[in-house]
Amino acid sequence: MPFEARDGLIAHIGPFTRDLKFPTSPDGKMALETIHGKGGGYKRWASEGNTQTYWQWIAKPLHEWTRPEEVASIDVETPYFAWQEICDPPKWDPRNRETADHSFPYNVARGLIDGTVYLDSFTKEKYMDPVARELMSKMRFHASLSPGFTSIVTVRKKSGEERVFKSQATVPLTHDELVQKSNRLADFMHVEKGQRDHALQQWMSLKTCKDIAEPMQTLAKFGEPKPLADMSPARIS
């Protein structure tokens, strides 16, 4: 699937032989270096990457403007890649946390209900919530062929009142915000402070690392990991 399916490697670089070369940017850099090298690419919100502009620019004012029971319809215009990635059929009926996380309709519904999102926004109780499901049934998503990552959300109330919300580019996280994000995640997952700080120090200074196995070993026992055979959900407080 990663090679031959939709948006797989072959779709990007064409059929390949045994001499496989991974694609790079026009400047020759790998995508990871291009995206993260200047501080961008890190997600501010605990949700799929294409939803970041919605959470940063639209979710809060939309939540403040209306309540779920007031909504008559929601029309969303979003970039083509986002439309095919997080608006495809499975995303309209999420049955696990990963599909809910990658569902634009569910994210919009969760934003209307809660005004924010975090790791506990994708529990079974929440993605099966009848209020969220009803809101999703009132939505329509379509692809924009315009360049960029802007989404336009048009919401009409049952009263007839209508308002348009537009996203902008996401604001990259600062170093201090990245540290705060890491600490919050560790606290949420009940990771001991000493281990949390040790892991952060290692991964923030990889250029001085002589053996990548050392920081990887720290994460291998990060918090309270379960055996790979244990498929039960992660503990959520």
Side-chain angles (χ1 to χ4, degrees), residues 173-217:
L173 288 166
T174 65
H175 175 81
D176 288 344
E177 287 175 327
L178 278 170
V179 172
Q180 292 170 9
K181 175 182 175 179
S182 176
N183 291 343
R184 183 187 180 192
L185 286 165
D187 291 344
F188 184 86
M189 299 305 293
H190 309 287
V191 176
E192 189 269 332
K193 184 177 182 298
Q195 187 186 35
R196 178 199 75 184
D197 293 344
H198 179 56
L200 188 63
Q201 187 277 325
Q202 286 182 311
W203 285 91
M204 283 289 190
S205 53
L206 285 180
K207 288 185 178 180
T208 64
C209 175
K210 295 182 180 180
D211 187 351
I212 192 63
E214 295 178 6
M216 291 177 68
Q217 183 63 28

Side-chain angles (χ1 to χ4, degrees), residues 20-38:
L20 173 62
K21 294 183 179 180
F22 287 99
T24 59
S25 302
D27 58 7
K29 295 180 180 180
M30 293 184 65
L32 184 64
E33 184 179 3
T34 301
I35 294 173
H36 295 291
K38 297 181 180 180

Side-chain angles (χ1 to χ4, degrees), residues 1 51 65 69 78 82 90 98 105 110 119 141-142 147 149 178 191 198 214 224:
M1 294 294 285
T51 69
W65 181 68
E69 62 270 19
T78 195
E98 287 74 23
R110 198 80 261 153
L119 300 181
F141 285 76
H142 54 99
F149 296 94
L178 278 170
V191 176
H198 179 56
E214 295 178 6
E224 302 174 3

